């Protein structure tokens, strides 16, 4: 997987090898061919252009990504969009701004110190990366605020919300900085994904003498995206999820289950809305084809083999009593589980009320998704140990030898970040976290020892997982492990569980993002102190904007996230928060013992842990037994098992559209029109994202905010029966009775 990622990056730019001996250059061939071994330390980085474009990018992405997280199709604008968009702006500023020097005391500066350079561009992109929560959209902890206010209907103060977001985003930076010497400086720790960024920067900063420049193409594509988005976003929302099978068979539950792209298996469903294409899985234009192929295999097997057999063949876990595709929670009668009825005044599980009401049930789709998640987590570790273990150990031994390659030697020209900065950041963020857990425990439920445990777990896993990521491009997540562990230790407290998960999982994920960006800066020869300042300022600023926007949305949109009382076709359905809320109920309120343990209906799903651990071993043994069969080691079970990890909340039409667009551009266009792909592929992705974002924000403030919506046959998917159960005797409003 890592090699394939690197191979993709190599095709994005010309080789960058210079006249260095093998002993001086990187020990990793992909790095030698991709990363320049030259540096100009005189290039200015603390420029007005960098600060202005970086801060604006961070604010805009923080606002847009948080704003979109509440919508039915939560678009995520990432760092790549800013990379493309800020280049012509930066060059325009270099031409237009005055060049004269300004003096403030003994400090002299110029608004325009020369041409817009690549180092400025990298720092602007790092700012933007913080604004997109390093590709995650908004801050993960925002979902905690959402479920408290919009789902549990409880109170949390703005101060507690602010501390929760800021501390979870910053906590991991402290120990990540301390670990830089192990996973950033050594040449063996090469972080394959960063090579794609290196290649893109190199391609963007080449001279562009073509008739259709990238900037001109970007503007044209942006205008087209902006104009077209009005049609599916407002004029004819049916184009967002066009399910013709439902139109052909309007009264058939089975047809709707098969054809609905939103609530069914999505057979033949398609979309003409870019927000559906790019939601959940990111832009398919920026995803290498090898990754798309793995997703195709995993998705096709799950939707076309596993689900039909489980639902119609086996009626697994009482599948017919519930919708075929749902992330909801149900009672034994197939009705939505009333969570509020089993929560007591202390915001904990009312055991007596729960036992009286009966256990919670999941749709078979949701249950199997959890099982696949169990298998994927374990399979990732097993796969990496078996297929990459020797390589990782060899590279780790090489990293501790402290032999510097040319890139590390060039970086020695710059003053390093003092270690005490990281220690201070870690102590401050941990202290604020303790203040939150001790003095505002009634709002977050997490005891101080739970915080220490979560931080310790994240700290323990950061180094090994960062080594895995730096050498294989695979990042095992801790989300399922953390919520499972806390659910066993402290069941009955839903917010304590999600806070523990966030401190344990996201602080580690933030640490990895910090280290990945530092490696990008290492390759691009960015002064380390400027990297630290930009990442820290960007993360804190993004967190502030995240909280402000979330608070505004939660208090200004009536019934936000409440699907049962929102107007039909309302975009404010918060699909990601519904999954987050259900996870808080499953793991926190009720606890894994009553669902997946000895008291649970779904204890059989624990076999997936064994499947995940043994699957890669079987493939490894087959590879050793038949070494000439080159296709065997290409079977990547972690990717196959995790291919549908975004479902739910992602729906089949998201995958259908993403796969089609990805195959067209990253296989056919890449293979047969490589020159066009190299020049315009990433530019097109950024323009599509930007055009959609501008139109969606404009529509909200001009029409949707005032409830000026259209009501006609083209305003919905028209698959109302897709969520109907098919078991006899189960009656659900809006569904035909089954006899």
């Amino acid at each position: 997987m890592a090699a394939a990622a690197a191979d993709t990056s190599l095709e994005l730019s010309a080789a960058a090898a210079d006249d260095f001996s093998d002993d001086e250059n990187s020990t990793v061939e992909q790095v030698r061919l991709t990363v320049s071994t030259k540096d100009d330390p005189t290039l200015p980085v603390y420029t007005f252009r960098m600060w202005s474009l970086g801060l604006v990018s961070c604010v805009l992405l923080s606002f847009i990504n948080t704003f979109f997280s509440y919508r039915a199709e939560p678009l995520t604008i990432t760092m790549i969009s800013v990379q493309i968009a800020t280049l012509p702006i930066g060059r325009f500023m270099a031409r237009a701004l005055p060049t004269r020097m300004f003096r403030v005391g003994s400090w002299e500066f110029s608004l325009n110190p020369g041409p817009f350079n690549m180092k400025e561009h990298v720092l602007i992109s790092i700012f933007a990366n913080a604004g997109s929560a390093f590709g995650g959209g908004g801050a993960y902890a925002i979902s905690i605020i959402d479920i408290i206010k919009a789902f549990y209907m409880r109170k949390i103060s703005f101060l507690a919300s602010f501390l929760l977001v800021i501390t979870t985003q910053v906590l991991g930076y402290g120990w990540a900085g301390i670990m830089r010497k192990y996973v950033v400086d050594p040449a063996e720790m090469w972080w394959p994904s960063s090579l794609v960024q290196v290649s893109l920067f190199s391609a963007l900063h080449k001279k562009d003498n073509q008739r259709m420049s990238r900037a001109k193409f970007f503007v044209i594509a942006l205008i087209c995206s902006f104009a077209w988005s009005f049609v599916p976003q407002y004029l004819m929302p049916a184009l967002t999820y066009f399910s013709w099978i439902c139109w052909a068979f309007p009264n058939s539950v089975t047809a709707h289950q098969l054809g609905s792209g939103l609530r069914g298996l999505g057979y033949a469903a398609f979309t003409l809305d870019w927000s559906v294409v790019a939601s959940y899985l990111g832009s398919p234009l920026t995803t290498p084809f090898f990754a798309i192929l793995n997703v195709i295999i995993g998705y096709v097997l799950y939707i076309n083999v596993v689900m039909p057999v489980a639902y119609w063949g086996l009626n697994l876990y009482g599948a017919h009593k519930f919708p075929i595709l749902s992330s909801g929670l149900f009672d034994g009668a197939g009705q939505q589980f009333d969570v509020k009825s089993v929560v007591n005044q202390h915001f904990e599980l009312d055991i007596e009320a729960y036992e009286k009401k009966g256990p919670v049930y999941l749709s078979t789709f949701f249950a199997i998704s959890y099982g696949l998640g169990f298998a994927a987590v374990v399979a990732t570790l097993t796969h990496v140990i078996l297929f990459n273990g020797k390589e990782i150990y060899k590279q780790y031994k090489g990293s501790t030898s402290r032999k510097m390659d040319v890139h590390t030697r060039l970086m020695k020209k710059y003053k390093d970040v003092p270690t005490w900065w990281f220690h201070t950041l870690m102590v401050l963020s941990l202290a604020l976290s303790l203040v939150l857990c001790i003095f505002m425990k009634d709002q977050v439920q997490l005891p101080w020892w739970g915080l220490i445990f979560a931080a310790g777990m994240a700290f323990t896993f950061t180094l090994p997982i960062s080594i895995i990521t730096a050498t294989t491009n695979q990042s095992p997540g801790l989300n399922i492990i953390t919520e499972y562990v806390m659910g066993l230790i402290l069941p009955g407290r839903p917010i304590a569980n999600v806070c523990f998960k966030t401190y344990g999982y996201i602080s580690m994920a933030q640490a990895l993002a910090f280290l990945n960006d530092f490696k990008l800066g290492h390759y691009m020869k960015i002064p380390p102190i400027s990297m630290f300042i930009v990442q820290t300022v960007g993360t804190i600023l993004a967190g502030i904007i995240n909280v402000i926007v979330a608070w505004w949305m939660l208090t200004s949109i009536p019934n936000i996230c409440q699907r049962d009382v929102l107007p039909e076709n309302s975009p404010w359905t918060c699909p990601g928060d519904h999954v987050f809320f259900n996870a808080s109920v499953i793991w926190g309120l009720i606890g894994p013992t009553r669902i997946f343990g000895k008291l649970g209906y779904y204890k059989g799903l624990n076999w997936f842990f064994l499947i995940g651990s043994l699957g890669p071993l079987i493939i490894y043994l087959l590879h050793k037994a038949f070494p000439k069969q080159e296709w065997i080691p290409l079977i990547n079970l972690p990717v196959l098992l995790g291919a549908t990890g975004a479902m739910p909340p992602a729906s089949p039409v998201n995958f259908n559209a993403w796969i089609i667009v990805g195959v067209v551009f990253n296989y056919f266009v890449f293979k047969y029109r490589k020159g066009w792909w190299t020049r315009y592929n990433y530019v097109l992705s950024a323009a599509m994202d930007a055009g959609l974002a501008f139109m969606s924000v404009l529509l909200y403030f001009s029409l949707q905010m005032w409830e000026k919506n259209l009501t006609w046959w083209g305003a919905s998917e028209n698959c109302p029966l897709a969520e109907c159960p098919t078991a006899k005797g189960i009656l659900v409003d809006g569904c035909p009775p089954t006899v």
Side-chain angles (χ1 to χ4, degrees):
M1 182 174 180
D7 290 343
T8 302
S9 70
L10 300 182
E11 316 230 351
L12 298 179
S13 67
D18 290 294
D19 297 330
F20 281 85
S21 68
D22 289 340
D23 289 339
E24 292 177 306
N25 212 330
S26 175
T27 56
V28 180
E29 182 181 5
Q30 291 89 339
V31 176
R32 290 199 301 271
L33 295 173
T34 307
V35 183
S36 173
T37 55
K38 294 181 179 179
D39 178 37
D40 182 359
T42 64
L43 291 176
V45 293
Y46 292 113
T47 64
F48 172 77
R49 297 179 300 235
M50 187 278 287
W51 282 109
S52 58
L53 292 178
L55 290 170
V56 169
S57 299
C58 183
V59 170
L60 279 177
L61 263 63
S62 303
F63 170 81
I64 291 173
N65 287 323
T66 307
F67 177 85
F68 269 92
S69 69
Y70 295 93
R71 293 175 61 89
E73 294 299 334
L75 178 72
T76 298
I77 308 296
T78 62
M79 170 184 177
I80 288 181
S81 298
V82 171
Q83 280 178 275
I84 303 295
T86 55
L87 180 62
I89 299 174
R91 287 176 173 169
F92 172 78
M93 293 175 74
R95 291 194 300 268
L97 288 176
T99 58
R100 71 185 185 90
M101 300 297 294
F102 294 88
R103 182 184 295 273
V104 178
S106 59
W107 178 41
E108 281 190 339
F109 68 96
S110 172
L111 297 179
N112 189 358
F116 184 65
N117 65 72
M118 197 183 302
K119 294 189 179 185
E120 292 176 277
H121 199 188
V122 173
L123 288 174
I124 292 168
S125 301
I126 299 300
F127 253 128
N129 212 19
S132 67
F134 300 98
Y140 194 76
I142 290 295
S143 290
I144 300 177
I145 304 167
D146 294 340
I147 67 171
I148 291 175
K149 293 179 68 68
F151 290 83
Y152 287 109
M153 303 298 177
R154 303 292 175 125
K155 293 182 179 179
I156 183 172
S157 66
F158 183 85
L159 178 60
S161 303
F162 173 76
L163 290 178
L164 184 62
V165 170
I166 295 298
T167 54
T168 53
Q169 293 295 96
V170 175
L171 182 60
Y173 284 9
W175 54 73
I178 297 170
M179 295 175 185
R180 280 187 313 141
K181 62 181 179 180
Y182 300 110
V183 292
V184 174
D185 293 346
E188 291 79 7
M189 303 292 114
W190 58 292
W191 297 84
S193 62
S194 65
L195 295 184
V196 177
Q197 297 297 326
V198 172
S199 300
L200 180 57
F201 279 116
S202 300
L204 289 175
H205 283 266
K206 289 179 180 178
K207 289 185 178 180
D208 196 347
N209 298 319
Q210 298 293 323
R211 181 177 180 182
M212 177 64 75
S213 68
R214 291 185 180 91
K216 185 177 180 180
F217 182 88
F218 176 80
V219 172
I220 294 173
L222 184 147
I223 293 172
C224 293
S225 174
F226 177 82
W228 171 252
S229 294
F230 177 76
V231 178
Q233 290 285 306
Y234 185 78
L235 190 61
M236 191 176 180
L239 294 177
T240 299
Y241 301 101
F242 196 85
S243 307
W244 66 268
I245 293 179
C246 298
W247 293 60
F249 304 95
N251 300 316
S252 170
V253 172
T254 301
H256 286 212
Q257 289 177 325
L258 291 170
S260 174
L262 183 61
R263 303 297 178 198
L265 299 184
Y267 292 168
F270 66 92
T271 182
L272 296 178
D273 186 350
W274 180 254
S275 70
V276 178
V277 178
S279 292
Y280 302 110
L281 299 171
S283 172
L285 299 178
T286 63
T287 305
F289 179 69
F290 82 93
I292 295 173
L293 185 60
N294 277 294
V295 170
I296 291 173
I297 296 172
Y299 170 71
V300 169
L301 288 175
Y302 188 32
I303 293 298
N304 294 283
V305 179
V306 175
M307 276 308 302
V309 170
Y311 190 87
W312 286 288
L314 302 176
N315 190 24
L316 187 65
Y317 292 125
H320 296 170
K321 296 166 63 176
F322 316 111
I324 189 171
L325 192 150
S326 174
S327 61
L329 306 176
F330 303 92
D331 59 25
Q335 308 300 314
Q336 291 287 333
F337 190 87
D338 185 4
V339 175
K340 297 175 188 175
S341 67
V342 297
V343 180
N344 63 23
Q345 60 182 353
H346 302 295
F347 205 173
E348 298 173 359
L349 178 66
D350 187 330
I351 297 177
E352 183 178 344
Y354 178 74
E355 291 178 347
K356 182 179 179 180
K357 186 173 181 61
V360 65
Y361 294 89
L362 314 176
S363 72
T364 301
F365 175 86
F366 199 17
I368 296 176
S369 292
Y370 266 122
L372 291 174
F374 298 162
V377 169
V378 181
T380 301
L381 296 175
T382 308
H383 178 90
V384 168
I385 291 171
L386 292 173
F387 287 91
N388 306 99
K390 290 182 179 179
E391 176 188 359
I392 291 173
Y393 180 70
K394 179 181 177 182
Q395 291 176 340
Y396 179 70
K397 286 186 66 177
S399 72
T400 57
S401 67
R402 307 303 300 157
K403 183 177 181 180
M404 293 188 296
D405 68 346
V406 61
H407 305 294
T408 303
R409 187 176 297 111
L410 288 171
M411 289 300 292
K412 291 298 180 182
K413 298 178 181 178
Y414 302 101
K415 185 178 180 181
D416 200 5
V417 183
T419 304
W420 68 268
W421 287 17
F422 294 110
H423 291 156
T424 303
L425 193 63
M426 181 171 60
V427 170
L428 283 175
S429 55
L430 190 59
L432 288 175
S433 303
L434 286 170
V435 167
L436 176 68
C437 294
I438 294 173
F439 297 103
M440 303 177 195
K441 183 183 175 183
D442 58 325
Q443 300 182 61
V444 298
Q445 294 187 332
L446 185 65
W448 65 267
W449 56 264
L451 170 67
I452 300 299
F453 184 21
M457 180 179 289
F459 178 81
T460 301
F461 277 96
T462 295
L463 183 59
I465 290 182
S466 62
I467 292 173
I468 292 171
T469 307
T471 55
T472 70
N473 210 31
Q474 299 179 42
S475 299
L478 296 181
N479 51 332
I480 290 180
I481 300 299
T482 50
E483 56 194 1
Y484 208 139
V485 168
M486 194 58 175
L488 293 173
I489 296 174
L490 198 64
R493 299 184 185 180
I495 305 306
N497 189 277
V498 292
C499 286
F500 182 89
K501 173 175 69 172
T502 304
Y503 276 109
Y505 162 52
I506 288 301
S507 60
M508 186 211 71
Q510 289 289 100
L512 261 65
F514 180 93
L515 292 167
N516 198 1
D517 276 355
F518 247 91
K519 191 65 178 186
L520 174 61
H522 186 86
Y523 286 146
M524 303 302 295
K525 316 303 181 294
I526 309 297
I529 290 179
S530 65
M531 287 287 298
F532 175 87
I533 292 173
V534 164
Q535 285 179 299
T536 305
V537 171
T539 301
I540 294 173
L541 177 61
I544 294 171
I545 301 299
N546 289 154
V547 176
I548 292 174
V549 174
W551 204 264
W552 166 59
M553 300 285 283
L554 290 167
T555 55
S556 64
I557 299 177
N559 303 316
I560 189 171
C561 304
Q562 300 174 50
R563 293 173 179 168
D564 52 340
V565 294
L566 280 169
E568 187 179 2
N569 301 318
S570 170
W572 311 113
T573 56
C574 316
D577 289 330
H578 275 273
V579 176
F580 196 89
F581 167 71
N582 291 336
S584 77
V585 175
I586 292 169
W587 302 105
L589 183 65
I590 298 172
T593 301
R594 291 186 173 89
I595 296 181
F596 301 109
K598 59 183 179 180
L599 303 178
Y601 185 53
Y602 300 97
K603 53 180 174 288
L605 292 175
N606 288 297
W607 287 103
F608 276 91
F609 285 112
L610 182 62
I611 294 171
S613 62
L614 295 181
L617 177 60
I618 294 172
I619 295 172
Y620 180 78
L621 293 176
L622 287 173
H623 172 52
K624 292 298 181 182
F626 306 100
K628 295 183 179 180
Q629 301 297 321
E630 297 181 357
W631 59 272
I632 294 178
L634 297 178
I635 301 174
N636 192 311
L637 273 187
V639 177
L640 294 180
L641 292 169
T644 55
M647 301 175 67
S651 61
V653 75
N654 294 114
F655 278 79
N656 293 348
W658 186 86
I659 288 170
I660 291 171
V661 174
V663 170
V664 168
F665 281 90
N666 285 323
Y667 180 75
F668 290 104
V669 176
F670 180 80
K671 184 176 181 179
Y672 298 108
R673 294 291 186 271
K674 188 169 294 186
W676 188 97
W677 188 96
T678 302
R679 287 183 56 78
Y680 302 122
N681 185 67
Y682 286 121
V683 180
L684 178 61
S685 177
M688 295 295 291
D689 287 348
L692 170 65
F694 293 152
M695 175 54 73
S696 297
V697 173
L698 177 63
L699 281 175
Y700 173 71
F701 285 109
S702 61
L703 295 170
Q704 294 169 340
M705 184 176 180
W706 313 105
E707 299 184 0
K708 304 293 184 181
N709 295 310
L710 300 178
T711 303
W712 66 301
W713 64 266
S716 64
E717 184 195 22
N718 295 301
C719 293
L721 305 183
E723 292 190 285
C724 292
T726 55
K728 294 181 180 179
I730 302 296
L731 300 177
V732 175
D733 290 343
C735 295
T738 303
V739 294

